[in-house]
Amino acid sequence: MMMIFTIGQVAKKVGINIGAIRFYERKGLLDTVVRNEQNIRLYTDYEINWLIFLKCLRETGMSVEEIKKYHDMVKAGTATLPDRIQLIQKQKQTLLDDIEMKKAQLVHLEHKLERYYRGENY
């Protein structure tokens, strides 16, 4: 049996706000969802899983435009797999670069703290 969720339930499950879900719909990042007789949006696990991945992509710094491009490729089918792989690999590298930069920043802060613990003023 397929589970059906309202936008509020989806927002809680995914960890994003309702406004973000509506924004993603307007930008074409989320396929048009089914509505019930009361015009309430109804979502399935498919949409939830896509939103979880979309949130991940946004958190890695991928732009809305790049996510739209990726989403369109997914909808186009398996012929776009090489391009999707390339796009995700590029984003992975961007994330790895960011992690390395954050590690260097952490080392810098640790060195500063060591100086302060020794009583140095700079």
Side-chain angles (χ1 to χ4, degrees):
M1 184 176 134
M2 183 177 7
M3 297 288 295
I4 302 295
F5 305 94
T6 64
I7 195 168
Q9 292 169 321
V10 170
K12 276 187 180 174
K13 281 181 162 295
V14 176
I16 59 177
N17 65 48
I18 291 170
I21 296 171
R22 290 180 179 142
F23 171 79
Y24 293 147
E25 284 182 21
R26 282 192 310 273
K27 291 294 185 178
L29 302 179
L30 186 62
D31 294 332
T32 305
V33 295
V34 175
R35 292 177 183 254
N36 67 11
E37 310 79 48
Q38 293 81 31
N39 204 31
I40 295 172
R41 292 172 171 90
L42 301 176
Y43 300 84
T44 66
D45 285 330
Y46 176 82
E47 287 87 19
I48 290 171
N49 290 331
W50 166 245
L51 282 167
I52 289 169
F53 188 59
L54 192 156
K55 179 184 172 194
C56 171
L57 293 175
R58 289 293 297 140
E59 289 172 346
T60 67
M62 185 179 276
S63 70
V64 169
E65 294 76 20
E66 286 290 293
I67 295 172
K68 174 71 169 112
K69 181 177 166 183
Y70 175 81
H71 184 253
D72 291 345
M73 285 190 278
V74 169
K75 291 189 331 187
T78 55
T80 64
L81 277 174
D83 292 330
R84 284 188 266 162
I85 290 169
Q86 184 178 24
L87 188 66
I88 296 299
Q89 283 178 333
K90 178 182 168 218
Q91 195 61 31
K92 178 184 170 185
Q93 188 57 54
T94 298
L95 182 59
L96 289 171
D97 294 345
D98 289 348
I99 289 168
E100 288 305 311
M101 184 176 61
K102 294 292 183 194
K103 284 180 182 178
Q105 293 167 345
L106 181 59
V107 167
H108 191 77
L109 292 176
E110 287 172 345
H111 287 257
K112 182 59 75 175
L113 283 171
E114 288 171 11
R115 286 179 150 149
Y116 288 161
Y117 292 147
R118 289 193 303 261
E120 297 175 17
N121 195 33
Y122 62 94

